[in-house]
Amino acid sequence: MSNGDLNWITNFIWGIADDALRDLYVRGKYRDVILPMMVLRRLDAVLEPMKPAVLSMKDNLDKAGITNQDAALRQAAEQAFYNTSRFTLRDLRNRASQAQLKADFEAYLDGFSPNVQEILDNFEFRNQLPKLSKADVLGTLIEKFLDSSINLGPKPVLNGDGSVKYPGLDNHAMGTIFEELVRRFNEANNEEAGEHWTPRDAVKLMAKLIFVPIADQIQSGTYLLYDGACGTGGMLTVAEETLNELAGQHGKQVSTHLFGQEINGETYAIAKADLLLKGEGEEADNIVGGPEWSTLANDAFPSKEFDFMLSNPPYGKSWKSDQERMGGKGMRDPRFIIEHADDPEYSLVTRSSDGQMLFLANMLSKMKHNTALGSRIAEVHNGSSLFTGDAGSGESNVRRWIIENDWLEAIVALPLNMFYNTGIATYVWVLSNRKPGHRRGKVQLIDATGWFRPLRKNLGKKNCELADADIGRILEAFVAFEETEQSRIFDNAEFGYSKVTVERPLRARGIESTRAYTPKEIKALKEQGRIADDGVPVIRRIHKPGKVEADRLRGLFPLTIDGKRCVVEYEPDSELRDTETVPLKEPGAIDAFIRREVLPDAPDAWIEGAKTIVGYEISFIRYFYKPQPLRPLEAIRADILALERETDGLMADIIGAGQ
């Protein structure tokens, strides 16, 4: 079927909304009726030829007292779904009253298989029936979806002479129409579109970033794809198409299985329905969702590992309710409390106000480690994932875990205003646990903010898109892995730093300088007001001579007591405590930094080594900053003179008016 035919059918269905629902629903709510009705009509058309066989099988199963009927009924229908009611949509066209039509239509809906019931429930379609029936619109909708001028069935409609009047609509074409309608409804509802729908240009880029670099390594076989925030399922289907296309180009045959999880009921219903409409019933069973299926609190695939993963998790969205369901601050989810850096309880748990990094941690927990290709991941984040969180925070720990495991291949900065409901900066993270040799120990940053094509008309806040040429430029920069103005390559350690606690001694007046004071005595000194900057350092511990080597930087100071060379530790003054951020690549490491930057001003300072924490952050602005040239003095002087002339004229007007 040609694109023109598909567009005609799409426009026809789009027109049903205006014709039947204009005075009953606001435009933003048309989708609540049109999408589930389209799903029902397609399923009805597909099931119609096998309706007698399904009813016969249902009757036999009931007579035999068999309760687990799903598999047998699917087999009878020759589909991954079925309907056991005695009605088809055509049977419901002529009803004497709206009440009878509503009752029979509800019986028709009740006859669908459990997977379709789940779609209808999440569409909340039954909630629309009283409104549609009361307004006498339900029958009109059924008539319009059965209109003889369109064919939503898989078999062609023939003329009287046997020639084809309307070609059959195969599963792929049906899926294309459905996705186009979803896109139009999302764009019409652009205030919420970006929440559940990633622009197709961004999805195409993400799919190519995970597949193109390893296209020549793809072997014939089965691959599992996963999206932990799958929305309407667009990322999974685009990824599947991209993988199949690249495999075919290299003479390979691949089978794919799609897995997704989505908390929003309607978008989950769309994703599941889309796969059913495409004839991918098994894949539809692998899409799990609804309000009770939060990816963070209720992982639908805890034991699964995947070859390729893509996602666009929610940004800046609180996950506090999830955290409470997971045990609060004492949560022990193995996806987020792991072993790393000699810490058996290394926490990846982020602030409760933003859980986007946890979606990335969730995907990393599902990587394959025992296959040739391992796992490849592409995920969209906003800028906070690059730098938010101090050393030791969940966000920093996620970055550290990723980079120290050498999983981060690249981060691509996308153009501003790429998404529908936000103009903020967005970035695609590309990760792999099978980095090629030339990428090992390195991270590539690509500034693609200037590579885009303006839209002729804004879609919400989206005012630009990635043309195929722009996607090609990004891929070329990624694959080339070379230093350019838009591509920078760094050692992993470039992004790490040590947060070092610097202590200075507590000083007090009127104390002995060669004996140690107990915690109780130190407390008394503070209460007596004897603490003073010009006092004597308070000793808290004296090491016996020869037992410990002096090391001023570590707080082990040499001191002669009763003629003997000892090593002492001073009580730290919490008021003077400070921290220093020392890059991991600092020449000479922490010691050299402290000697250069701290000791000249505070010679009695030392490092509290046990409190040193390693953190990671990535600053695109720092690495791609382009200073603006200063304006010539002549231009500045001309502007000043022009302002003076304007001011003189203004003063004359004011003075003249006053006279």
Side-chain angles (χ1 to χ4, degrees):
M1 182 173 286
S2 69
N3 287 335
D5 291 332
L6 295 181
N7 286 334
W8 191 90
I9 295 174
T10 304
N11 291 334
F12 184 93
I13 296 173
W14 183 258
I16 292 175
D18 272 336
D19 292 343
L21 304 177
R22 180 186 294 273
D23 298 324
L24 191 58
Y25 289 84
V26 296
R27 183 175 291 271
K29 293 294 184 179
Y30 287 175
R31 60 187 290 156
D32 296 352
V33 174
I34 296 300
L35 293 180
M37 279 298 300
M38 180 181 175
V39 171
L40 290 172
R41 174 60 189 126
R42 172 62 177 189
L43 301 185
D44 184 78
V46 171
L47 292 173
E48 195 168 12
M50 302 305 295
K51 186 75 170 181
V54 171
L55 294 179
S56 176
M57 176 63 75
K58 173 66 174 171
D59 186 52
N60 292 336
L61 293 171
D62 288 343
K63 288 177 180 178
I66 297 174
T67 55
N68 189 4
Q69 303 179 355
D70 189 70
L73 291 171
R74 287 190 183 204
Q75 187 175 7
E78 298 180 2
Q79 300 291 338
F81 51 91
Y82 52 85
N83 188 311
T84 59
S85 78
R86 68 180 188 275
F87 302 117
T88 65
L89 278 181
R90 294 190 188 279
D91 296 331
L92 302 176
R93 299 176 75 168
N94 301 308
R95 288 294 183 268
S97 68
Q98 281 296 314
Q100 186 63 50
L101 173 60
K102 180 174 178 290
D104 290 348
F105 189 72
E106 287 175 338
Y108 168 75
L109 296 181
D110 293 342
F112 275 107
S113 50
N115 52 356
V116 179
Q117 295 297 338
E118 196 173 6
I119 292 172
L120 295 173
D121 290 345
N122 281 280
F123 269 130
E124 298 183 352
F125 182 57
R126 286 181 174 85
N127 295 347
Q128 310 301 326
L129 298 186
K131 187 174 185 177
L132 294 171
S133 178
K134 185 178 180 180
D136 199 13
V137 170
L138 183 57
T140 303
L141 281 170
I142 294 173
E143 284 284 354
K144 286 186 175 294
F145 274 97
L146 292 170
D147 194 294
S148 60
S149 60
I150 63 167
N151 177 24
L152 295 180
K155 295 184 177 180
V157 175
L158 304 179
N159 292 307
D161 60 1
S163 61
V164 174
K165 182 178 182 181
Y166 299 116
L169 202 62
D170 64 26
N171 290 325
H172 178 76
M174 188 67 211
T176 300
I177 293 172
F178 187 73
E179 289 180 0
E180 174 63 14
L181 284 169
V182 170
R183 183 189 69 80
R184 292 191 188 185
F185 281 122
N186 279 331
E187 290 180 357
N189 249 6
N190 57 52
E191 72 278 3
E192 65 175 23
E195 186 173 348
H196 308 303
W197 193 56
T198 309
R200 184 56 61 96
D201 52 335
V203 178
K204 285 174 62 177
L205 171 65
M206 294 169 67
K208 288 183 178 295
L209 284 170
I210 63 172
F211 292 123
V212 170
I214 49 91
D216 59 348
Q217 300 174 51
I218 295 172
Q219 301 299 317
S220 297
T222 300
Y223 294 93
L224 307 186
L225 282 63
Y226 170 73
D227 183 348
C230 69
T232 55
M235 281 197 183
L236 288 172
T237 54
V238 170
E240 180 183 40
E241 292 166 2
T242 306
L243 175 56
N244 284 320
E245 179 183 349
L246 289 172
Q249 291 173 3
H250 288 78
K252 306 296 181 183
Q253 291 186 337
V254 298
S255 172
T256 55
H257 294 298
L258 309 182
F259 295 80
Q261 188 163 349
E262 170 59 38
I263 192 172
N264 180 276
E266 184 193 28
T267 50
Y268 159 62
I270 291 172
K272 198 174 185 79
D274 186 34
L275 290 172
L276 276 184
L277 296 181
K278 290 176 177 174
E280 300 185 50
E282 183 180 346
E283 311 311 317
D285 290 340
N286 293 333
I287 305 297
V288 178
E292 73 278 19
W293 283 103
S294 164
T295 299
L296 301 184
N298 193 6
D299 182 11
F301 310 103
S303 60
K304 279 282 186 184
E305 294 179 343
F306 302 97
D307 300 283
F308 303 104
M309 294 175 262
L310 308 87
S311 197
N312 178 15
Y315 315 144
K317 181 179 178 182
S318 171
W319 66 284
K320 189 173 183 179
S321 59
D322 286 329
Q323 188 177 32
E324 291 171 353
R325 289 197 295 273
M326 298 165 73
K329 293 184 178 179
M331 62 181 286
R332 286 292 179 267
D333 192 304
R335 293 174 296 168
F336 310 130
I337 304 295
I338 63 169
E339 183 175 350
H340 182 69
D342 298 323
D343 183 352
E345 294 191 354
Y346 186 84
S347 176
L348 307 177
V349 179
T350 65
R351 299 161 300 146
S352 61
S353 59
D354 188 354
Q356 62 179 298
M357 291 291 277
L358 291 180
F359 282 85
L360 182 54
N362 168 67
M363 292 212 293
L364 291 166
S365 75
K366 301 181 184 303
M367 292 192 298
K368 287 188 174 182
H369 294 278
N370 300 314
T371 60
L373 289 179
S375 296
R376 292 185 62 77
I377 295 171
E379 185 162 286
V380 182
H381 288 272
N382 67 9
S384 70
S385 292
L386 298 172
F387 51 78
T388 297
D390 201 357
S393 69
E395 291 87 348
S396 178
N397 281 355
V398 173
R399 293 189 291 267
R400 179 184 179 186
W401 178 49
I402 290 171
I403 295 174
E404 289 185 350
N405 276 297
D406 202 18
W407 292 335
L408 182 59
E409 285 195 347
I411 299 178
V412 180
L414 298 177
L416 297 176
N417 300 306
M418 270 278 296
F419 289 75
Y420 296 96
N421 64 350
T422 179
I424 62 173
T426 50
Y427 303 82
V428 177
W429 292 50
V430 184
L431 304 98
S432 168
N433 59 351
R434 290 291 185 278
K435 273 189 178 182
H438 66 287
R439 284 187 177 272
R440 288 176 192 159
K442 306 286 185 180
V443 173
Q444 182 181 19
L445 303 182
I446 299 175
D447 178 14
T449 55
W451 295 342
F452 61 86
R453 177 173 63 191
L455 293 177
R456 286 181 294 178
K457 180 181 179 182
N458 284 14
L459 299 173
K461 292 186 178 180
K462 181 177 174 64
N463 64 10
C464 65
E465 65 180 355
L466 296 174
D468 288 343
D470 300 314
I471 294 175
R473 292 175 73 182
I474 295 170
L475 279 172
E476 183 180 352
F478 180 87
V479 173
F481 195 63
E482 295 174 350
E483 287 271 351
T484 66
E485 188 176 350
Q486 280 78 31
S487 170
R488 302 289 308 278
I489 299 168
F490 301 94
D491 292 335
N492 286 347
E494 175 72 27
F495 308 109
Y497 63 92
S498 295
K499 183 181 178 182
V500 181
T501 298
V502 178
E503 302 281 15
R504 296 183 63 189
L506 183 72
R507 295 176 178 272
R509 294 194 184 102
I511 63 170
E512 298 179 45
S513 62
T514 57
R515 83 166 179 88
Y517 284 78
T518 66
K520 185 176 180 180
E521 290 175 313
I522 293 172
K523 182 180 179 182
L525 291 175
K526 294 177 179 178
E527 291 173 348
Q528 294 165 11
R530 296 169 66 181
I531 306 302
D533 292 343
D534 58 355
V536 175
V538 179
I539 299 174
R540 68 174 177 178
R541 186 178 182 185
I542 300 175
H543 296 277
K544 293 181 180 180
K547 293 293 184 181
V548 177
E549 291 289 332
D551 186 348
R552 288 176 174 271
L553 277 180
R554 303 297 179 274
L556 300 170
F557 292 86
L559 185 67
T560 300
I561 301 176
D562 296 333
K564 298 178 181 179
R565 296 287 293 178
C566 301
V567 173
V568 301
E569 295 181 37
Y570 294 118
E571 176 71 16
D573 187 342
S574 60
E575 295 293 324
L576 299 178
R577 183 174 295 140
D578 200 0
T579 58
E580 295 287 346
T581 298
V582 183
L584 293 186
K585 297 190 71 173
E586 172 72 24
I590 295 173
D591 289 9
F593 181 93
I594 297 300
R595 288 192 178 97
R596 184 182 74 247
E597 300 292 337
V598 177
L599 294 187
D601 298 316
D604 57 356
W606 74 89
I607 303 166
E608 186 56 61
K611 295 181 180 179
T612 298
I613 306 173
V614 174
Y616 280 77
E617 66 178 22
I618 302 168
S619 173
F620 257 80
I621 294 176
R622 182 168 73 222
Y623 299 129
F624 290 98
Y625 175 68
K626 299 181 181 68
Q628 297 297 319
L630 296 174
R631 296 176 64 205
L633 289 176
E634 293 77 6
I636 297 173
R637 182 173 180 274
D639 285 348
I640 293 173
L641 291 174
L643 285 172
E644 286 181 350
R645 287 193 294 271
E646 290 178 12
T647 303
D648 288 343
L650 181 62
M651 290 298 295
D653 289 343
I654 294 172
I655 293 171
Q659 294 174 345

